[in-house]
Amino acid sequence: MKLANPLYYPLAVAAGGVVLVLTVRFANFPIALAMPISAAIATSGAIFLKRNEPESLGIGDPELELEIVTVKQQAIALTQQAQVLRVESGKLLAEADQMDLLVAVQYACDRASEFPSKIDLLVQKLKAGNALLSVQDLEQQLMQVKQKLRNSTGIAATQLQTLAAGLQRNIDLVRGGESARQAQVASLATLIVDASGVLQALQNKLRVVNLTDLQQTAELRSLTDELSCFQENAELLLAK
């Protein structure tokens, strides 16, 4: 059981105060008896509240921890959505001649499900002391993205351009005094939100696609490629 100081939990103190008033004024308990009851209520409430708090990530930056926890929750939601689509695709693409398309959809879903592990990797780096991310590191990431952009076309190029713009924005923020890691986490959050949108579009398309129409199946494959690209861009962000 987690020990908890009620003074750190105003709600628990308030509950204890209410119990004290009720026991003394309305139940006519002697103050010597009411006080321990009130203290016990406050302590129990503090323990309950602390038990339901998220575990500290142990990186020594509460604000950054909160941002990472929020992004991890978004990543988990994306993973759950991807796994639902993975199962659904197995039912919708059950014919032998649809196997290639099924593999593409399920591969994209599997890639989308990797975000939580990427966030865990970032936390491990922070715990290990790799917390220092400088403007130079961000500039190196931006250079890598631009190099990759030169050899990219279509969806991949569009995503890389967006990532490059985000990295440049992060560099400007860090030069203005923001935390480089916070900027990095914010970019990761943007990738996850964008990936969720593409995953939803893929699910919607899969449910109505005419599999005998080559243009529609090409659009479906394009969405699977776009979804897979998000994971590659996350790896670029977390390279340092």
Side-chain angles (χ1 to χ4, degrees):
M1 179 183 297
K2 294 181 178 180
L3 299 178
N5 185 342
L7 296 178
Y8 295 140
Y9 299 89
L11 188 60
V13 173
V18 170
V19 170
L20 179 62
V21 171
L22 292 175
T23 53
V24 172
R25 178 168 296 182
F26 297 102
N28 294 320
F29 279 29
I31 190 69
L33 178 59
M35 285 292 290
I37 294 175
S38 174
I41 294 296
T43 301
S44 298
I47 290 173
F48 174 80
L49 292 171
K50 185 171 184 177
R51 184 184 302 146
N52 287 277
E53 288 180 340
E55 291 287 345
S56 171
L57 300 179
I59 61 177
D61 186 335
E63 184 177 352
L64 181 57
E65 284 194 10
L66 181 59
E67 292 181 15
I68 291 174
V69 168
T70 300
V71 173
K72 178 70 176 288
Q73 291 171 342
Q74 294 171 336
I76 291 172
L78 175 61
T79 296
Q80 293 169 341
Q81 184 185 0
Q83 291 309 308
V84 168
L85 179 56
R86 196 182 198 284
V87 173
E88 188 175 351
S89 66
K91 298 175 182 178
L92 296 174
L93 302 172
E95 302 297 328
D97 60 352
Q98 299 166 356
M99 189 58 62
D100 287 347
L101 188 55
L102 174 62
V103 170
V105 172
Q106 294 193 337
Y107 174 75
C109 289
D110 290 341
R111 291 289 279 166
S113 300
E114 294 177 15
F115 275 109
S117 63
K118 292 294 187 294
I119 296 170
D120 289 340
L121 176 62
L122 174 60
V123 171
Q124 291 303 315
K125 285 183 176 181
L126 292 171
K127 285 183 177 180
N130 287 334
L132 298 177
L133 189 68
S134 64
V135 171
Q136 289 73 25
D137 295 323
L138 293 174
E139 288 176 337
Q140 184 176 2
Q141 289 179 344
L142 180 58
M143 186 181 302
Q144 291 172 344
V145 170
K146 288 181 176 179
Q147 288 175 346
K148 191 173 182 180
L149 182 58
R150 295 191 190 101
N151 299 318
S152 301
T153 58
I155 291 170
T158 300
Q159 283 201 19
L160 286 169
Q161 287 170 349
T162 301
L163 182 60
L167 284 169
Q168 184 59 61
R169 184 168 56 252
N170 289 350
I171 291 170
D172 294 338
L173 286 172
V174 173
R175 284 175 174 160
E178 295 290 332
S179 163
R181 285 299 183 191
Q182 286 177 325
Q184 187 181 41
V185 172
S187 291
L188 191 57
T190 299
L191 283 180
I192 292 172
V193 170
D194 291 345
S196 296
V198 173
L199 184 64
Q200 186 62 61
L202 177 59
Q203 185 176 48
N204 294 342
K205 186 69 176 179
L206 184 61
R207 289 172 175 174
V208 300
V209 67
N210 178 358
L211 295 170
T212 63
D213 186 321
L214 294 180
Q215 181 177 349
Q216 291 190 37
T217 56
E219 291 172 355
L220 195 60
R221 287 182 181 276
S222 178
L223 286 170
T224 64
D225 292 341
E226 186 174 0
L227 188 58
S228 297
C229 283
F230 285 111
Q231 195 59 230
E232 296 175 12
N233 291 342
E235 290 168 355
L236 284 172
L237 275 177
L238 300 176
K240 173 63 178 180

